[in-house]
Amino acid sequence: MPHDQHRNDPGDGAADTSRGSGAGRARTVVLASPRSFCAGVERAIEVVEALLDQRDGAGQPVYVRKQIVHNTHVVRGLERRGAVFVDELDAVPDGALVVFSAHGVSPAVRDEARRRGLRVVDATCPLVTKVHSEARRFAARSEPVVLIGHAGHEEVEGTLGEAPQASVLVESVQDVAELDLPEDAEVAYLTQTTLAADETREVIAALKSRFPRAHGPGADDICYATTNRQLAVEAVAAEADVLFVVGSANSSNSVRLAEVCRRLGTPAHLVEDALAIRPEWVADADTIGLTAGASTPPPLIEGVITFLRTLGPVTVEERSTTIEDVHFAPPAAVRT
């Protein structure tokens, strides 16, 4: 089976051409680039694929804690190959093989895995690992650690777990105003890697205004792929009548892409795949913007274009704002 087909069936998210052809209006689809998979997502999926390939004839299960990346098509494709996704480690038998997702885990989860004798393969994105290391470093200096992020997100839970006694989560400027910390405190701040850059800048500015000694890491925590995709959306939004972001609802970076577009005044819809698109959303559109979150398989973009062609003639153009050439080496357990 070709490598890409391990990730999703070619038919996943394919357009339902029975839903009507609309008025036959000619449209231009403008593709934002970069879009779809980033290096951290590629690495995480390849880890699970490699472990599935390595299984012995008895079909030893490959357990994955949480979704390996936040995309339902990716998860379903890996499940069809035999991956077993679980919410917590208590669903994994003692001594079994388990993969930690790209979003990372807290030290408490790692400790539990060691106690249970689980064979762990860590697919945490290296950029998330960087934030974890920063949290430990700041906490070791007895500095309060303010994490900017979204409550309940797996990445945030893992980062907070690195220094639970020293860390506090803020999601907004209002949260900063309500922090119970001395104003002369040497506050250290970190950010979730998948946030909207402009909103995050506002929160950081509020932190520095209230806590003059506040400081962050040497390099931005928002990952290169998140920033690149947001800049690409900004470029496309300027000429689009409506924009579609292909991605799952629990994908933070996909949600942020739609938000970035809307803040620029262009209507945007986050859709799981082509089947979620309503023809009326494009009824009056001459130019349609199209992008995908960093955990979205590229074939789903093609599915959207195929569906739009059932509504009328489509010309496809691409707007590239940067070229990505980042690659992360796989963990030792799956290196060949």
Side-chain angles (χ1 to χ4, degrees), residues 15-31:
D16 178 1
T17 56
S18 67
R19 288 191 290 165
S21 59
R25 184 183 196 133
R27 298 178 175 88
T28 299
V29 172
V30 182
L31 294 175

Side-chain angles (χ1 to χ4, degrees), residues 239-257:
E239 57 182 306
D241 299 308
V242 64
L243 182 137
F244 292 110
V245 179
V246 186
S248 294
N250 65 337
S251 166
S252 176
N253 76 88
S254 298
V255 172
R256 303 288 86 73
L257 290 174

Side-chain angles (χ1 to χ4, degrees), residues 196-247:
D198 53 354
E199 285 189 321
T200 304
R201 281 192 292 268
E202 293 175 3
V203 177
I204 291 174
L207 267 173
K208 290 183 174 180
S209 175
R210 185 170 172 205
F211 305 100
R213 300 176 68 194
H215 62 95
D220 194 352
D221 285 333
I222 297 178
C223 86
Y224 76 95
T226 297
T227 299
N228 288 348
R229 281 152 186 73
Q230 290 175 13
L231 292 174
V233 160
E234 290 176 1
V236 169
E239 57 182 306
D241 299 308
V242 64
L243 182 137
F244 292 110
V245 179
V246 186

Side-chain angles (χ1 to χ4, degrees), residues 86-244:
V86 299
D87 285 332
E88 298 297 344
L89 293 184
D90 57 11
V92 180
D94 290 351
L97 175 67
V98 63
V99 179
F100 290 158
S101 80
H103 308 104
V105 300
S106 69
V109 174
R110 296 183 186 279
D111 290 344
E112 180 184 353
R114 279 192 291 269
R115 289 195 305 270
R116 301 267 315 283
L118 301 179
R119 291 175 292 141
V120 172
V121 178
D122 190 355
T124 301
C125 174
L127 299 180
V128 174
T129 300
K130 165 185 170 288
V131 179
H132 285 205
S133 298
E134 292 164 348
R136 293 192 300 271
R137 177 165 56 87
F138 288 141
R141 300 200 306 228
S142 299
E143 296 174 349
V145 179
V146 175
L147 175 62
I148 304 168
H150 296 291
H153 192 279
E154 291 152 35
E155 179 186 330
V156 165
E157 292 175 350
T159 303
L160 290 174
E162 293 289 351
Q165 304 306 316
S167 303
V168 61
L169 176 68
V170 300
E171 298 187 79
S172 64
V173 170
Q174 181 59 37
D175 288 346
V176 172
E178 296 173 358
L179 282 174
D180 185 18
L181 293 170
E183 293 190 356
D184 63 348
E186 190 169 352
V187 174
Y189 64 82
L190 301 169
T191 69
Q192 183 179 332
T193 62
T194 55
L195 300 181
D198 53 354
E199 285 189 321
T200 304
R201 281 192 292 268
E202 293 175 3
V203 177
I204 291 174
L207 267 173
K208 290 183 174 180
S209 175
R210 185 170 172 205
F211 305 100
R213 300 176 68 194
H215 62 95
D220 194 352
D221 285 333
I222 297 178
C223 86
Y224 76 95
T226 297
T227 299
N228 288 348
R229 281 152 186 73
Q230 290 175 13
L231 292 174
V233 160
E234 290 176 1
V236 169
E239 57 182 306
D241 299 308
V242 64
L243 182 137
F244 292 110

